[in-house]
Structures are given as C-alpha cells and as structure tokens.
Amino acid sequence: MPIVKYTSPDVDLMARMMRAEAVGEGKQGMLYVGNVIVNRAKADCLDFTDVRTIRDVIFQVQGGNYSFEAVQKGSLFYRRARSVEKRLAEKNLKFWRQYPAKYALWYFNPYAPCPPTWYGEPLTGRYKNHCYYEPAAGTCPSVY
C-alpha cells in the first residue's frame, strides 16, 4: 500500500523534482529528496496542513516563493523524467524511507557544516551536500 495516494503524472513530477534537486548525489540522494516530498504530503502540521498531493507539495508557495527552488530556477526540473528516476519516485511513494530523511520535512545545501537546528527544527543527518531536518519532538506526529 502506498504511503500517499498518487497518479502516473505524480510519479513523473516527483521524479523530475528528485533529479533537479539531487542528481549530483546519485540514486541515494534522490531517494532522500523523495522522502521529504512524501513526508510533506503525509504531514498534517506546521507549513504542510494544506498540501495533500504530490502536486500540492511540489508547487507549494511559502513566503512568496516556491518551496523547492528548482521550480523557479531549475532547468532540470522542466526536462522529461527518465525511467530510472520514475522507478525511484515509485519506490518512495510505495514504501522506501530511510535515515537521515526518513521523517524529514526539510533539507538544504549549506555549503558548510550542517547547523544543529534549522529554524528550530533538529538536524537528523547529512548526505553529501544536503542537511536533513525533521520536526521537533511532538510537533508533527502525522509524519512518523
């Protein structure tokens, strides 16, 4: 059973975002970005109370900007998804979750060591260039 409901266009959209955000980090890095996308669709807390679909997550606007920089600036995002990326997206949607992004709702590339918190949320770990953060204890039980 999938973690969140999805359609074929959702798989394509998610695959494109995973590639755009983490292609330089290989399949593992793309899977971690996929974890964050799925977790945001699953979460019913904090900034994610009004996003329920993959499309909602990818095109969410916060503070006047898209949540994912690749939507605005990423030429990779607007290219057709490849079959390997689609398989990775389906893997995330169906069951795959792993540390450090298992319950993460945020990630970013600090170009430096990962701060222990990011906007008050605790660091769960780093994979290559990205630092992953999950909600502080008790603030978002729906993501776990």
Side-chain angles (χ1 to χ4, degrees), residues 95-110:
F95 66 91
W96 194 91
R97 294 171 93 187
Q98 189 173 328
Y99 170 86
K102 187 172 185 175
Y103 304 116
L105 291 176
W106 306 275
Y107 64 87
F108 82 108
N109 180 347

Side-chain angles (χ1 to χ4, degrees), residues 86-99:
K86 288 180 184 182
R87 285 192 301 274
L88 293 172
E90 283 189 292
K91 189 172 186 176
N92 277 126
L93 288 160
K94 289 180 180 174
F95 66 91
W96 194 91
R97 294 171 93 187
Q98 189 173 328
Y99 170 86

Side-chain angles (χ1 to χ4, degrees), residues 7-22:
T7 64
S8 180
D10 291 331
V11 172
D12 183 74
L13 185 62
M14 186 167 151
R16 290 172 28 219
M17 182 57 68
M18 291 165 66
R19 178 186 59 215
E21 292 284 321

Side-chain angles (χ1 to χ4, degrees), residues 14-15 17 19 35 40-41 44 90 109 119 123 130 132 136 141:
M14 186 167 151
M17 182 57 68
R19 178 186 59 215
N35 274 170
R40 287 181 178 190
D44 189 19
E90 283 189 292
N109 180 347
Y119 295 100
L123 173 71
H130 286 108
Y132 292 87

Side-chain angles (χ1 to χ4, degrees), residues 44-91:
D44 189 19
C45 58
L46 306 167
D47 296 330
F48 311 105
T49 57
D50 61 346
V51 293
R52 288 293 158 263
T53 68
I54 298 304
R55 184 169 191 77
D56 289 346
V57 171
I58 300 295
F59 292 107
Q60 182 184 26
V61 174
Q62 295 177 307
N65 294 305
Y66 287 105
S67 296
F68 293 98
E69 190 174 326
V71 175
Q72 287 174 228
K73 301 178 183 177
S75 64
L76 275 179
F77 176 69
Y78 291 99
R79 292 184 187 166
R80 181 180 299 225
R82 298 176 295 196
S83 59
V84 66
E85 294 141 359
K86 288 180 184 182
R87 285 192 301 274
L88 293 172
E90 283 189 292
K91 189 172 186 176

